Short mmCIF file of all heavy atoms in Angstrom, two decimals:
data_model
loop_
_atom_site.label_atom_id
_atom_site.label_comp_id
_atom_site.label_asym_id
_atom_site.label_seq_id
_atom_site.Cartn_x
_atom_site.Cartn_y
_atom_site.Cartn_z
N HIS A 228 61.28 130.86 84.78
CA HIS A 228 61.23 130.05 85.98
C HIS A 228 59.85 130.17 86.59
O HIS A 228 59.52 131.16 87.24
CB HIS A 228 62.28 130.52 86.98
CG HIS A 228 62.63 129.47 87.98
ND1 HIS A 228 63.41 128.38 87.68
CD2 HIS A 228 62.30 129.32 89.28
CE1 HIS A 228 63.55 127.61 88.73
NE2 HIS A 228 62.88 128.17 89.71
N SER A 229 59.02 129.16 86.37
CA SER A 229 57.62 129.24 86.79
C SER A 229 57.05 127.86 86.96
O SER A 229 57.48 126.91 86.31
CB SER A 229 56.80 130.01 85.74
OG SER A 229 55.43 129.94 86.04
N ARG A 230 56.06 127.79 87.85
CA ARG A 230 55.27 126.56 88.00
C ARG A 230 53.90 126.72 87.36
O ARG A 230 52.95 126.04 87.70
CB ARG A 230 55.12 126.19 89.48
CG ARG A 230 56.43 125.80 90.14
CD ARG A 230 56.19 125.35 91.56
NE ARG A 230 57.45 125.05 92.22
CZ ARG A 230 57.53 124.69 93.50
NH1 ARG A 230 56.44 124.60 94.24
NH2 ARG A 230 58.69 124.43 94.05
N GLN A 231 53.79 127.69 86.48
CA GLN A 231 52.57 127.91 85.73
C GLN A 231 51.39 128.27 86.62
O GLN A 231 50.26 127.82 86.41
CB GLN A 231 52.22 126.66 84.88
CG GLN A 231 53.34 126.21 83.97
CD GLN A 231 53.78 127.29 83.00
OE1 GLN A 231 52.96 127.99 82.43
NE2 GLN A 231 55.09 127.44 82.81
N VAL A 232 51.64 129.08 87.62
CA VAL A 232 50.55 129.59 88.44
C VAL A 232 50.72 131.09 88.57
O VAL A 232 51.76 131.65 88.26
CB VAL A 232 50.54 128.96 89.86
CG1 VAL A 232 50.40 127.46 89.78
CG2 VAL A 232 51.78 129.35 90.64
N ALA A 233 49.66 131.75 89.03
CA ALA A 233 49.71 133.20 89.23
C ALA A 233 50.43 133.47 90.54
O ALA A 233 49.89 133.30 91.61
CB ALA A 233 48.29 133.77 89.27
N GLY A 234 51.69 133.87 90.44
CA GLY A 234 52.50 134.07 91.62
C GLY A 234 52.71 135.53 91.95
O GLY A 234 52.29 136.43 91.23
N ASP A 235 53.39 135.75 93.06
CA ASP A 235 53.68 137.10 93.52
C ASP A 235 54.98 137.65 92.97
O ASP A 235 55.31 138.81 93.20
CB ASP A 235 53.74 137.13 95.06
CG ASP A 235 52.36 137.09 95.68
OD1 ASP A 235 51.38 137.28 94.93
OD2 ASP A 235 52.26 136.88 96.90
N PHE A 236 55.74 136.82 92.24
CA PHE A 236 57.03 137.25 91.70
C PHE A 236 57.16 136.83 90.24
O PHE A 236 56.66 135.78 89.84
CB PHE A 236 58.20 136.62 92.48
CG PHE A 236 58.42 137.20 93.84
CD1 PHE A 236 57.68 136.77 94.92
CD2 PHE A 236 59.38 138.16 94.04
CE1 PHE A 236 57.87 137.31 96.18
CE2 PHE A 236 59.61 138.70 95.31
CZ PHE A 236 58.84 138.27 96.37
N ASP A 237 57.86 137.66 89.47
CA ASP A 237 58.38 137.24 88.18
C ASP A 237 59.83 136.84 88.40
O ASP A 237 60.55 137.48 89.18
CB ASP A 237 58.31 138.38 87.17
CG ASP A 237 56.89 138.68 86.72
OD1 ASP A 237 56.12 137.72 86.59
OD2 ASP A 237 56.57 139.87 86.53
N ALA A 238 60.28 135.79 87.71
CA ALA A 238 61.63 135.30 87.94
C ALA A 238 62.21 134.71 86.67
O ALA A 238 61.49 134.23 85.80
CB ALA A 238 61.63 134.26 89.05
N ALA A 239 63.54 134.76 86.57
CA ALA A 239 64.26 134.14 85.46
C ALA A 239 65.61 133.66 85.96
O ALA A 239 66.21 134.28 86.85
CB ALA A 239 64.44 135.12 84.31
N VAL A 240 66.06 132.54 85.41
CA VAL A 240 67.37 131.99 85.75
C VAL A 240 68.36 132.42 84.67
O VAL A 240 68.06 132.39 83.47
CB VAL A 240 67.32 130.45 85.84
CG1 VAL A 240 68.71 129.88 86.12
CG2 VAL A 240 66.34 130.03 86.92
N LEU A 241 69.54 132.84 85.11
CA LEU A 241 70.57 133.35 84.21
C LEU A 241 71.79 132.43 84.24
O LEU A 241 72.28 132.08 85.31
CB LEU A 241 71.01 134.75 84.65
CG LEU A 241 69.90 135.72 85.08
CD1 LEU A 241 70.50 136.96 85.70
CD2 LEU A 241 69.02 136.06 83.88
N SER A 242 72.27 132.04 83.08
CA SER A 242 73.49 131.26 82.97
C SER A 242 74.63 132.18 82.55
O SER A 242 74.53 132.88 81.53
CB SER A 242 73.33 130.13 81.94
OG SER A 242 72.32 129.24 82.34
N LEU A 243 75.71 132.20 83.33
CA LEU A 243 76.86 133.05 83.04
C LEU A 243 77.91 132.28 82.24
O LEU A 243 77.91 131.05 82.20
CB LEU A 243 77.46 133.57 84.34
CG LEU A 243 76.49 134.25 85.32
CD1 LEU A 243 77.26 134.85 86.49
CD2 LEU A 243 75.64 135.30 84.62
N ARG A 244 78.80 133.03 81.63
CA ARG A 244 79.81 132.40 80.78
C ARG A 244 80.70 131.44 81.56
O ARG A 244 81.20 130.45 81.02
CB ARG A 244 80.66 133.48 80.11
CG ARG A 244 81.60 132.95 79.03
CD ARG A 244 82.21 134.08 78.25
NE ARG A 244 81.20 134.93 77.62
CZ ARG A 244 80.60 134.64 76.47
NH1 ARG A 244 80.89 133.51 75.83
NH2 ARG A 244 79.71 135.46 75.95
N ASP A 245 80.92 131.73 82.85
CA ASP A 245 81.79 130.87 83.66
C ASP A 245 81.05 129.67 84.24
O ASP A 245 81.59 128.92 85.05
CB ASP A 245 82.45 131.67 84.78
CG ASP A 245 81.43 132.34 85.70
OD1 ASP A 245 80.22 132.08 85.55
OD2 ASP A 245 81.86 133.14 86.55
N GLY A 246 79.78 129.47 83.84
CA GLY A 246 79.02 128.31 84.30
C GLY A 246 78.17 128.55 85.53
O GLY A 246 77.35 127.70 85.89
N ILE A 247 78.35 129.68 86.19
CA ILE A 247 77.55 130.01 87.38
C ILE A 247 76.13 130.37 86.95
O ILE A 247 75.90 130.96 85.89
CB ILE A 247 78.18 131.18 88.15
CG1 ILE A 247 79.54 130.76 88.72
CG2 ILE A 247 77.27 131.68 89.26
CD1 ILE A 247 80.29 131.89 89.39
N GLU A 248 75.16 130.02 87.79
CA GLU A 248 73.77 130.38 87.54
C GLU A 248 73.27 131.32 88.63
O GLU A 248 73.56 131.13 89.81
CB GLU A 248 72.87 129.14 87.46
CG GLU A 248 73.08 128.31 86.19
CD GLU A 248 72.00 127.26 86.01
OE1 GLU A 248 71.59 126.66 87.01
OE2 GLU A 248 71.59 127.06 84.85
N LEU A 249 72.50 132.31 88.21
CA LEU A 249 71.87 133.26 89.12
C LEU A 249 70.37 133.26 88.86
O LEU A 249 69.90 132.75 87.84
CB LEU A 249 72.42 134.68 88.91
CG LEU A 249 73.94 134.88 89.03
CD1 LEU A 249 74.30 136.32 88.70
CD2 LEU A 249 74.41 134.50 90.43
N ILE A 250 69.62 133.84 89.77
CA ILE A 250 68.19 134.01 89.57
C ILE A 250 67.83 135.44 89.92
O ILE A 250 68.32 135.99 90.91
CB ILE A 250 67.36 133.00 90.39
CG1 ILE A 250 65.87 133.13 90.08
CG2 ILE A 250 67.62 133.15 91.88
CD1 ILE A 250 65.02 131.98 90.61
N VAL A 251 67.02 136.07 89.09
CA VAL A 251 66.55 137.44 89.33
C VAL A 251 65.04 137.39 89.55
O VAL A 251 64.33 136.71 88.81
CB VAL A 251 66.92 138.38 88.16
CG1 VAL A 251 66.36 137.88 86.84
CG2 VAL A 251 66.45 139.81 88.46
N ARG A 252 64.59 138.13 90.56
CA ARG A 252 63.18 138.08 90.94
C ARG A 252 62.67 139.49 91.17
O ARG A 252 63.33 140.32 91.79
CB ARG A 252 62.99 137.24 92.21
CG ARG A 252 63.51 135.83 92.06
CD ARG A 252 63.56 135.09 93.39
NE ARG A 252 62.24 134.89 93.95
CZ ARG A 252 61.82 135.43 95.08
NH1 ARG A 252 62.61 136.22 95.77
NH2 ARG A 252 60.62 135.18 95.54
N VAL A 253 61.44 139.73 90.69
CA VAL A 253 60.80 141.04 90.83
C VAL A 253 59.41 140.83 91.44
O VAL A 253 58.60 140.08 90.89
CB VAL A 253 60.67 141.75 89.47
CG1 VAL A 253 60.01 143.12 89.67
CG2 VAL A 253 62.02 141.88 88.81
N PRO A 254 59.12 141.47 92.57
CA PRO A 254 57.80 141.31 93.19
C PRO A 254 56.70 141.97 92.38
O PRO A 254 56.91 143.01 91.74
CB PRO A 254 57.97 141.98 94.56
CG PRO A 254 59.08 142.95 94.38
CD PRO A 254 60.00 142.34 93.37
N ARG A 255 55.53 141.38 92.40
CA ARG A 255 54.39 141.89 91.64
C ARG A 255 53.46 142.78 92.47
O ARG A 255 52.61 143.45 91.91
CB ARG A 255 53.58 140.73 91.08
CG ARG A 255 54.25 139.96 89.96
CD ARG A 255 53.35 138.83 89.49
NE ARG A 255 53.85 138.17 88.30
CZ ARG A 255 53.23 137.14 87.71
NH1 ARG A 255 52.10 136.69 88.22
NH2 ARG A 255 53.74 136.60 86.63
N ASN A 256 53.59 142.71 93.79
CA ASN A 256 52.68 143.48 94.63
C ASN A 256 53.39 143.88 95.92
O ASN A 256 54.52 143.47 96.17
CB ASN A 256 51.41 142.67 94.94
CG ASN A 256 51.72 141.29 95.50
OD1 ASN A 256 52.43 141.15 96.49
ND2 ASN A 256 51.20 140.25 94.84
N GLN A 257 52.69 144.68 96.73
CA GLN A 257 53.30 145.21 97.93
C GLN A 257 53.63 144.11 98.93
O GLN A 257 54.68 144.14 99.59
CB GLN A 257 52.37 146.24 98.58
CG GLN A 257 52.95 146.89 99.84
CD GLN A 257 54.24 147.63 99.57
OE1 GLN A 257 54.30 148.47 98.67
NE2 GLN A 257 55.29 147.34 100.33
N ALA A 258 52.75 143.13 99.06
CA ALA A 258 53.00 142.04 100.01
C ALA A 258 54.26 141.27 99.63
O ALA A 258 55.07 140.91 100.49
CB ALA A 258 51.80 141.10 100.06
N ALA A 259 54.43 141.03 98.34
CA ALA A 259 55.63 140.32 97.87
C ALA A 259 56.88 141.15 98.10
O ALA A 259 57.93 140.62 98.49
CB ALA A 259 55.48 139.98 96.39
N GLU A 260 56.78 142.46 97.88
CA GLU A 260 57.94 143.32 98.10
C GLU A 260 58.33 143.33 99.58
O GLU A 260 59.51 143.30 99.92
CB GLU A 260 57.62 144.74 97.64
CG GLU A 260 58.80 145.69 97.78
CD GLU A 260 58.51 147.07 97.23
OE1 GLU A 260 57.36 147.30 96.79
OE2 GLU A 260 59.42 147.90 97.23
N THR A 261 57.32 143.36 100.46
CA THR A 261 57.60 143.33 101.90
C THR A 261 58.29 142.03 102.29
O THR A 261 59.27 142.03 103.04
CB THR A 261 56.29 143.49 102.69
OG1 THR A 261 55.69 144.74 102.36
CG2 THR A 261 56.55 143.42 104.19
N GLU A 262 57.81 140.93 101.74
CA GLU A 262 58.44 139.64 102.05
C GLU A 262 59.85 139.57 101.50
O GLU A 262 60.77 139.05 102.15
CB GLU A 262 57.60 138.49 101.51
CG GLU A 262 58.27 137.15 101.71
CD GLU A 262 57.31 135.99 101.71
OE1 GLU A 262 56.10 136.22 101.75
OE2 GLU A 262 57.80 134.85 101.66
N GLN A 263 60.04 140.08 100.30
CA GLN A 263 61.37 140.07 99.71
C GLN A 263 62.36 140.87 100.56
O GLN A 263 63.50 140.45 100.78
CB GLN A 263 61.33 140.63 98.30
CG GLN A 263 62.67 140.57 97.57
CD GLN A 263 62.59 141.21 96.20
OE1 GLN A 263 62.34 142.42 96.08
NE2 GLN A 263 62.79 140.41 95.17
N SER A 264 61.91 142.00 101.07
CA SER A 264 62.77 142.83 101.92
C SER A 264 63.14 142.09 103.20
O SER A 264 64.29 142.13 103.65
CB SER A 264 62.08 144.15 102.24
OG SER A 264 61.87 144.92 101.06
N ALA A 265 62.14 141.42 103.79
CA ALA A 265 62.41 140.66 105.02
C ALA A 265 63.35 139.50 104.75
O ALA A 265 64.24 139.20 105.57
CB ALA A 265 61.09 140.16 105.61
N ASP A 266 63.18 138.85 103.62
CA ASP A 266 64.05 137.74 103.27
C ASP A 266 65.48 138.22 103.06
O ASP A 266 66.45 137.57 103.49
CB ASP A 266 63.52 137.06 102.00
CG ASP A 266 64.22 135.76 101.70
OD1 ASP A 266 64.02 134.79 102.44
OD2 ASP A 266 64.99 135.72 100.72
N LEU A 267 65.63 139.37 102.42
CA LEU A 267 66.94 139.92 102.18
C LEU A 267 67.63 140.28 103.49
O LEU A 267 68.84 140.04 103.67
CB LEU A 267 66.84 141.15 101.28
CG LEU A 267 68.14 141.77 100.80
CD1 LEU A 267 68.98 140.74 100.03
CD2 LEU A 267 67.86 142.99 99.92
N LEU A 268 66.88 140.86 104.43
CA LEU A 268 67.44 141.19 105.74
C LEU A 268 67.92 139.93 106.45
O LEU A 268 69.00 139.91 107.06
CB LEU A 268 66.38 141.91 106.58
CG LEU A 268 66.80 142.32 108.00
CD1 LEU A 268 67.96 143.30 107.94
CD2 LEU A 268 65.61 142.93 108.74
N ALA A 269 67.14 138.85 106.35
CA ALA A 269 67.52 137.60 106.99
C ALA A 269 68.77 137.01 106.34
O ALA A 269 69.67 136.52 107.03
CB ALA A 269 66.36 136.61 106.91
N LEU A 270 68.85 137.05 105.01
CA LEU A 270 70.02 136.51 104.32
C LEU A 270 71.28 137.25 104.72
O LEU A 270 72.36 136.65 104.85
CB LEU A 270 69.82 136.58 102.81
CG LEU A 270 68.74 135.67 102.21
CD1 LEU A 270 68.67 135.84 100.70
CD2 LEU A 270 68.98 134.21 102.57
N ARG A 271 71.17 138.56 104.92
CA ARG A 271 72.33 139.33 105.35
C ARG A 271 72.72 138.98 106.79
O ARG A 271 73.89 139.02 107.16
CB ARG A 271 72.04 140.81 105.20
CG ARG A 271 72.02 141.28 103.74
CD ARG A 271 71.53 142.71 103.61
NE ARG A 271 71.74 143.22 102.25
CZ ARG A 271 71.18 144.32 101.78
NH1 ARG A 271 70.38 145.05 102.54
NH2 ARG A 271 71.43 144.72 100.54
N ALA A 272 71.72 138.67 107.62
CA ALA A 272 72.00 138.29 109.01
C ALA A 272 72.69 136.93 109.08
O ALA A 272 73.46 136.67 110.01
CB ALA A 272 70.70 138.26 109.81
N LEU A 273 72.42 136.08 108.10
CA LEU A 273 73.03 134.75 108.08
C LEU A 273 74.44 134.87 107.50
O LEU A 273 74.69 134.60 106.33
CB LEU A 273 72.17 133.80 107.25
CG LEU A 273 70.80 133.45 107.87
CD1 LEU A 273 69.86 132.84 106.83
CD2 LEU A 273 70.97 132.52 109.06
N SER A 274 75.33 135.29 108.35
CA SER A 274 76.72 135.54 107.96
C SER A 274 77.43 134.24 107.59
O SER A 274 76.93 133.14 107.79
CB SER A 274 77.46 136.23 109.10
OG SER A 274 77.54 135.36 110.22
#
């Protein structure tokens, strides 16, 4: 999963047997990790 640019995350889309799709992302640097943590906190707040 890429737009062919040097990004802050590595990512891949996963297809499950039941047809559901997931995406896994790994930050490449500290700034990306900080943003990912903030994004995760926000997603949890969005009940």
Side-chain angles (χ1 to χ4, degrees):
H228 201 74
S229 172
R230 293 184 184 177
Q231 306 302 318
V232 301
D235 283 348
F236 287 83
D237 288 323
V240 177
L241 318 170
S242 298
L243 307 187
R244 189 170 302 278
D245 58 7
I247 294 175
E248 288 192 322
L249 304 176
I250 184 167
V251 57
R252 302 169 64 245
V253 181
R255 289 180 172 179
N256 52 55
Q257 182 60 52
E260 183 176 4
T261 299
E262 175 157 349
Q263 184 183 63
S264 296
D266 189 70
L267 186 58
L268 179 62
L270 292 181
R271 288 171 170 166
L273 292 164
S274 64

